[in-house]
Structure formats: C-alpha cells, structure tokens
Amino acid sequence: MGDYSKDDFLQLIKRFGAFLTVKISNLFGTLDSRSVGAIAGLAFAIVFTWRVWRSPSPQRRLPKRQGATSSSSGVSNHPSANVATSGVIPSSEDSNAQNVIDEFFQPVKPTLGQIVRQRLSEGRKVTCRLLGVILEETSPEELQQQATVRSSVLEVLLEITKFCDLYLMERVLDDESEKKVLLALENAGVFTSGGLVKDKVLFCSTEIGRTSFVRQLEPDWHIDTNPEITFQLARFIKYQLHVSPNKPERTAINVFNSTTLEQFFGSV
C-alpha cells in the first residue's frame, strides 16, 4: 500500500512539472524577472522534495550495516557466538578460573613440626621411655644383645627435640646395655641433628626408678608403655601418652592411647 501511494505521488509530481513547463514557455515572454525567479524557485523546491522522497530511509540501510559488520568480524549467528560477543566467559575458561580460585583457597597441609606442637599442646618438657617407643626392643633382656632405633619414629623424635626439652629413660640390667643404647641413638643422628644430648638419656635398674625420674623432672608430657606407671603418674603429670598395640584395661582422663608414637602424631 505504501509503495502504491508513492508511485502515484511521483506521477503527480511529473505531471505537475510538465504543466509548469508548458505554462512557463507560454508566459515566459510576458513575465518579468521576479515572476520567473519565483517560478524557478518553486520548481527547485519540487525537485528537491522528490529526491528526498526517493532516497532510502535510515531504517532500510541499518540492516545492511549490521550485516556488513557481522560478515567482516567473522561472528556467526550461533548462540555460542552471541555469548562470546556479549563478554560472557566460555565454560572452559570459567572452569579454569574456578580451579585457580579453589587451589588458592585450599587449606595448607600443616607440617610435621606444626602437628607435633599442636598435639603436645605447646608443652615444653617431655619424658619418654625407650623400650617399645624409640627402640625396636621391648625388654631389658633384649638390650643386652642389641639396641635398634626405630626408623619410622626418628623424624617425630627429632621434631620433638626442636620444640621441647626431651628426656629419654630406660631400665637396664648392666652397663653394656647403656652403651648399646647410647651408640644406637648416636648412629641414628639423634645427638647431632636434634637438640638431645647424652646427659638427657637416663638409666635406672627398677621401674620405680623410672617413675621417680618423671616425678622429679615434672614434665608436661610423659610417654610410656607400662599402663601401671601411667596410671600412677596421672595425679602428677598433666598429659601422658600410653603406647601399646593393645588397649589398656584402665586409663586416666589425661592419658592418651596410641599404638605407636608416630601414629599419635599422624606421620604414618
């Protein structure tokens, strides 16, 4: 309908222009210069209006510019392309960014030294039995033959010596057993790598003697394999660790239980 009206209007202008041409040719000789100028101005206005009407409107040129922009930029009409041009991060990049954030906020695993200090509740003095805890041997009779430091406990032992005043003690049957124990500790690097000295390795001939050592030193922690001793010392020692593969029949409130020393500190 719009195109039909436009054609009629153009035909009307053409006919009006032809009519004016005839009239101008007939009246040209009789009109003065002012009349001729007025007629010429009217004709110019009609021609200008006709050209403006024929020129394409901006609404029709806009899709062409959009199409040219789309073709030159190489962006397709696919939904994924619209997402990319809108500034939204693609799913793969979003996943990578999330992984970086997760790794950044991932909790840091504590070191063995931090675990030791936490488990010992910042205790500064520790007494520990040798047999069954630090040494592979479990009886004084075995020490008469040999003394062997447990390799799995060595790292924990060295960490304890860094933060605590550590005393090792054991009941022996003769002087040769003492020498074997000291030599085994020295060969394991306890005296060189840690803060332990030979004067802090104590020996006695009875179980009561070990109990007396502990009460005199007044440690924050005592580590032992004998449940009777840990029970007797419960009134005097703040914390104790009972090391045994079997659960003891009776345990005081402040006595912890573990199969090994390193298992208590979570190093295995």
Side-chain angles (χ1 to χ4, degrees):
M1 184 69 181
D3 294 338
Y4 180 75
S5 300
K6 181 179 179 180
D7 293 338
D8 291 344
F9 183 74
L10 293 176
Q11 292 295 331
L12 179 63
I13 291 177
K14 289 180 180 180
R15 291 177 183 178
F16 184 71
F19 175 77
L20 288 177
T21 301
V22 174
K23 291 298 182 180
I24 290 173
S25 62
N26 293 333
L27 298 176
F28 184 78
T30 60
L31 295 177
D32 55 8
S33 60
R34 291 184 178 181
S35 299
V36 173
I39 294 174
L42 178 61
F44 177 78
I46 294 173
V47 174
F48 178 78
T49 304
W50 176 66
R51 289 186 175 181
V52 171
W53 184 264
R54 287 189 61 187
S55 62
S57 62
Q59 296 178 352
R60 293 185 177 182
R61 291 198 302 266
L62 183 59
K64 295 182 180 180
R65 287 199 298 266
Q66 291 177 348
T69 303
S70 301
S71 61
S72 62
S73 61
V75 179
S76 64
N77 293 327
H78 195 273
S80 62
N82 295 334
V83 173
T85 55
S86 64
V88 179
I89 301 175
S91 59
S92 60
E93 296 182 5
D94 188 27
S95 178
N96 294 335
Q98 186 63 39
N99 291 336
V100 173
I101 295 175
D102 293 341
E103 292 178 1
F104 182 78
F105 289 101
Q106 186 176 4
V108 180
K109 183 179 180 180
T111 62
L112 179 59
Q114 293 173 333
I115 296 175
V116 169
R117 297 185 65 177
Q118 181 180 7
R119 294 290 281 168
L120 294 179
S121 304
E122 301 297 330
R124 301 305 301 171
K125 183 181 290 188
V126 178
T127 55
C128 179
R129 183 181 188 181
L130 285 164
L131 287 174
V133 181
I134 308 301
L135 302 178
E136 295 282 359
E137 293 73 26
T138 58
S139 66
E141 289 75 17
E142 293 182 63
L143 291 180
Q144 291 181 306
Q145 303 299 323
Q146 63 180 8
T148 307
V149 177
R150 300 176 60 244
S151 58
S152 59
V153 79
L154 185 59
E155 187 178 5
V156 174
L157 181 64
L158 294 177
E159 288 296 333
I160 295 176
T161 60
K162 292 179 182 179
F163 303 107
C164 303
D165 189 13
L166 178 63
Y167 291 83
L168 301 178
M169 56 190 64
E170 189 51 64
R171 179 173 73 92
V172 294
L173 301 178
D174 50 37
D175 295 339
E176 290 298 322
S177 298
E178 293 183 18
K179 294 179 181 179
K180 286 182 174 63
V181 172
L182 293 175
L183 182 60
L185 294 173
E186 184 176 3
N187 292 337
V190 176
F191 299 131
T192 56
S193 301
L196 185 67
V197 296
K198 292 182 179 181
D199 292 340
K200 292 183 179 180
V201 182
L202 310 176
F203 298 98
C204 58
S205 58
T206 62
E207 292 291 286
I208 297 177
R210 191 165 78 252
T211 305
S212 300
F213 283 157
V214 176
R215 292 188 59 180
Q216 291 175 14
L217 292 171
E218 297 181 346
D220 300 302
W221 278 83
H222 176 63
I223 304 170
D224 210 297
T225 60
N226 191 329
E228 292 295 332
I229 291 182
T230 56
F231 187 80
Q232 294 173 12
L233 293 173
R235 296 182 300 166
F236 310 102
I237 308 302
K238 187 175 181 180
Y239 300 108
Q240 291 191 89
L241 173 61
H242 176 248
V243 177
S244 174
N246 302 319
K247 185 177 180 181
E249 296 181 0
R250 54 178 181 174
T251 303
I253 297 177
N254 59 344
V255 177
F256 297 87
N257 298 283
S258 178
T259 56
T260 62
L261 182 63
E262 55 270 32
Q263 191 274 335
F264 176 72
F265 291 106
S267 61
V268 293

